[in-house]
Amino acid sequence: MFDFLEDYDLLGAFWVTVKLTVYAGIGSLVWGTVLAALRVSPVPVMRWFGTAYVNIVRNIPLTVIIVFSSLGLADVFGITLGAADDFEALGFRLSVLGLGAYTAAFVCEAVRSGINTVPVGQAEAARALGLNFRQVLGLVVLPQAFRSVIGPLTNVLIALTKNTTVAAAIGVGEAALLMKEMIENEAQLLLITAIFAFGFVVLTLPTGLILGWLSKRLAVKR
Amino acid sequence: MTSVLYDAPGPRAKRRNVLLSVLFFAVLLLGAWWAWSAMSDKGQLEWALWRPWLADSEAWTTYLLPGLANTLKAAGLAMAIALPLGALFGISRLSDHISVRVPSAVVVEFFRAIPVLILMVFANQFYANYTDISVDARPMYAVVTGLVLYNASVLAEIVRAGIQSLPKGQTEAAKAIGLRKGQTMTSILLPQSVTAMLPALVSQLVVIVKDTALGGAMLSFTELLNARKTAASFYASVIPSFIVVAAVYIVLNLLLTTLASWLERRMRRSKKSTGAVVGPGALDELETIGPKKVQAPDHGYGGGVGPV
């Protein structure tokens, strides 16, 4: 029953999924945090740019972004990210770029909502104690903001894990592409789907449970 | 504006902000100039490439509008089928009987954990193997089925949040006048939660519209993104076609988002209802797994047009 699996690199495909998730996750965390900083800054132009970026990117389908990074960035503009002749690596890097740019908009919103959960009274009280700007941020506001951000960020991370399947649209050999190939070649539709579904449950469920527990433990009780 | 992060700016801070504004604006201009020159280097600014989209109706009537119609048809169908299913599972998860609550929770969490593309690919092959749906119609069926399976479980959460967002007094009053559990649900809680859920439902439509593009890229479903491919090869116009299609998606989804936040504001002000509302941002507030408490989402989050 399971012997047909030997012809396919199942673990390899899921490993690509994991790698896509990790790289795009790190990239989107950095870029999303920068965007969030722009959106809460006292400078109107920066706020305007952050808002525009988030509203534009959030409303374009991820599939459009990924396909554009291949047909537009790579083919027309020749942005090959140092992998011009290696099709496999090029697709992977473009996918990380697209996924990161897209997910950053959601990271930005999650971080900003975390900052928004800190009541203004906390900062006012800190200033009343005579703390300077750096101390207000470093000792009072940001620690509380980070703790309430874990929950929303967990949801973004899980959505990103599922979104890596979109990379199949430009031929990156991750789980969804392998599944498509397998069910076309093998007469084991339900079994193959169950295996891949189980794979994603294994990837997302522990993440959700661990980080969900952490966010509950660390959340600031109000 | 005051913020938790900084004070109202004094004269020095004002000067610094103006300086930062100018610097940042210069960086933005530099980026825009770089993109513009890259496009003109590659000949993507030629009027011949833009003409079909901007000055001619043929590209729209032949390719883009039929594609957009398919996108909207798939999204609308998926929403219409997923909503009753979602309501069923959402209510089952609130049941007093553990034999009802646990299985429906397992089903909902299972389908929420799986990428929608996996479900679409499965549905596509399933219809190919076990039904006699024609090859032309199959992508549409597959896309709608995948979207329904995934979104029914998301909508189940929205329905549950809607019911839980109602004040406790509603259930208590229903009990006090002697209504049974079923009557309380059908005549008191559900009708009120429908209005409370509207904003979240509309913003879920945005997610569904965006997911239809997957069917275009992977299952050759002839929706907007797929229509772009056909049109781009016909007019030999790659970058402009992407920009036009992205603009269509942005306008469509911004309209939906604006509608959602307008509905949310209207619900909160409403004199007729309890003021309970599940806003567009509520789903992000829900933790992924485990017993959930729905908090009212804070303003200016998820609407996308609220104050910063």
Side-chain angles (χ1 to χ4, degrees), chain A residues 38-49 51 55-64 67-68 71-73 76-79 102 106 109-110 112-113 115-120 122-123 127 133 136-137 141-142 151-152 154-155 158 161-162 165-166 168-169 175-177 179-180 183-184 189-190 193 196-198 200-201 204-205 208-209 215-216, chain B residues 1-7 16-17 20-22 24-25 28 34-35 38-39 42 44 109-119 121-122 124-127 129-130 150 206 209-211 213-214 217-219 225 228-229 238-239 242-243 245-246 249-250 253-254 257 283-291 298-308:
Chain A
L38 290 179
R39 281 201 77 169
V40 298
S41 78
V43 182
V45 184
M46 291 184 182
R47 282 208 301 272
W48 172 85
F49 171 79
T51 311
N55 277 333
I56 288 172
V57 172
R58 255 197 339 189
N59 286 312
I60 301 177
L62 174 61
T63 321
V64 175
V67 173
F68 174 77
L71 298 180
L73 290 185
V76 177
F77 293 125
I79 297 172
Y102 178 81
F106 295 87
E109 291 307 271
R112 209 166 57 95
S113 75
I115 292 173
N116 283 343
T117 56
V118 182
V120 181
Q122 294 279 330
R127 280 204 298 273
F133 180 73
V136 171
L137 274 193
V141 174
L142 287 186
T154 306
N155 288 332
I158 286 173
T161 310
K162 296 189 297 182
T165 52
V166 179
L177 196 73
M179 172 183 161
K180 196 163 183 272
I183 61 174
E184 280 163 9
L189 175 61
L190 281 172
T193 308
F196 280 93
F198 176 74
F200 275 100
V201 171
T204 55
L205 201 75
L209 283 175
S215 77
K216 263 207 268 297
Chain B
M1 76 165 254
T2 55
S3 144
V4 77
L5 298 174
Y6 49 85
D7 260 331
R16 199 189 55 220
N17 287 352
L20 280 173
S21 293
V22 171
F24 190 74
F25 197 67
L28 281 188
W34 175 81
M39 276 177 70
K42 302 287 176 190
Q44 292 296 324
E109 293 296 352
F110 176 76
F111 279 107
R112 274 180 73 196
I114 300 173
V116 76
L117 179 60
I118 297 266
L119 295 169
V121 170
F122 163 75
N124 197 36
Q125 199 62 31
F126 181 85
Y127 287 131
N129 292 0
Y130 304 110
Y150 175 72
V206 173
V209 164
K210 280 172 16 182
D211 280 347
L214 265 176
M218 294 294 291
L219 306 176
L225 181 62
R228 183 216 68 84
K229 198 163 86 186
V238 178
I239 304 290
F242 266 115
I243 291 175
V245 163
Y249 276 119
I250 291 167
N253 289 331
L254 272 181
T257 314
L283 260 196
D284 307 336
E285 313 270 317
L286 294 171
E287 295 137 31
T288 332
I289 281 150
D298 36 352
H299 278 291
Y301 168 53
V305 285
V308 178

Side-chain angles (χ1 to χ4, degrees), chain B residues 203-221:
Chain B
S203 54
Q204 189 59 29
L205 255 182
V206 173
V207 177
I208 297 180
V209 164
K210 280 172 16 182
D211 280 347
T212 54
L214 265 176
M218 294 294 291
L219 306 176
S220 54
F221 172 41

Side-chain angles (χ1 to χ4, degrees), chain B residues 72-83:
Chain B
L72 293 173
K73 208 177 350 177
L77 266 174
M79 188 73 182
I81 303 169
L83 192 52

Side-chain angles (χ1 to χ4, degrees), chain B:
Chain B
M1 76 165 254
T2 55
S3 144
V4 77
L5 298 174
Y6 49 85
D7 260 331
R12 254 176 71 198
K14 270 186 184 146
R15 270 204 303 279
R16 199 189 55 220
N17 287 352
V18 168
L19 184 71
L20 280 173
S21 293
V22 171
L23 281 178
F24 190 74
F25 197 67
V27 171
L28 281 188
L29 276 182
L30 208 68
W33 173 79
W34 175 81
W36 187 264
S37 60
M39 276 177 70
S40 74
D41 281 351
K42 302 287 176 190
Q44 292 296 324
L45 291 173
E46 311 278 330
W47 178 238
L49 298 191
W50 287 89
R51 197 178 163 283
W53 316 107
L54 301 179
D56 210 350
S57 64
E58 191 199 32
W60 289 88
T61 51
T62 320
Y63 301 104
L64 292 192
L65 290 178
L68 181 62
N70 267 342
T71 291
L72 293 173
K73 208 177 350 177
L77 266 174
M79 188 73 182
I81 303 169
L83 192 52
L85 271 176
L88 189 73
F89 277 100
I91 293 167
S92 315
R93 286 197 74 174
L94 291 167
S95 162
D96 291 346
H97 306 288
I98 203 158
S99 55
V100 176
R101 208 167 52 214
V102 171
S104 56
V106 169
V107 170
V108 167
E109 293 296 352
F110 176 76
F111 279 107
R112 274 180 73 196
I114 300 173
V116 76
L117 179 60
I118 297 266
L119 295 169
M120 282 183 191
V121 170
F122 163 75
N124 197 36
Q125 199 62 31
F126 181 85
Y127 287 131
N129 292 0
Y130 304 110
T131 61
D132 49 6
I133 295 167
S134 71
V135 178
D136 303 335
R138 200 190 302 146
M140 172 74 129
Y141 277 85
V143 167
V144 172
T145 309
L147 286 173
V148 164
L149 289 175
Y150 175 72
N151 285 287
S153 59
V154 177
L155 293 178
E157 294 301 285
I158 295 182
V159 170
R160 206 160 58 111
I163 292 170
Q164 287 179 329
S165 73
L166 297 171
K168 209 164 170 273
Q170 296 288 329
T171 318
E172 286 165 354
K175 277 196 183 125
I177 57 172
L179 296 183
R180 286 192 304 270
K181 267 190 314 200
Q183 288 175 313
T184 305
M185 186 55 79
T186 51
S187 53
I188 308 284
L189 298 180
L190 262 187
Q192 293 190 70
S193 68
V194 167
T195 49
M197 282 173 338
L198 265 182
L201 291 183
V202 173
S203 54
Q204 189 59 29
L205 255 182
V206 173
V207 177
I208 297 180
V209 164
K210 280 172 16 182
D211 280 347
T212 54
L214 265 176
M218 294 294 291
L219 306 176
S220 54
F221 172 41
T222 49
E223 47 65 76
L224 188 55
L225 181 62
N226 203 321
R228 183 216 68 84
K229 198 163 86 186
T230 326
S233 55
F234 183 75
Y235 295 109
S237 157
V238 178
I239 304 290
S241 66
F242 266 115
I243 291 175
V244 167
V245 163
V248 173
Y249 276 119
I250 291 167
V251 168
L252 174 65
N253 289 331
L254 272 181
L255 280 177
L256 286 172
T257 314
T258 313
L259 175 67
S261 35
W262 176 79
L263 279 169
E264 185 185 10
R265 276 200 307 275
R266 199 161 156 265
M267 300 287 156
R268 286 195 196 283
R269 279 202 319 264
S270 156
K271 291 271 191 297
K272 284 189 186 140
S273 79
T274 51
V277 66
V278 183
L283 260 196
D284 307 336
E285 313 270 317
L286 294 171
E287 295 137 31
T288 332
I289 281 150
K292 300 175 177 95
K293 271 207 171 59
V294 181
Q295 316 140 338
D298 36 352
H299 278 291
Y301 168 53
V305 285
V308 178

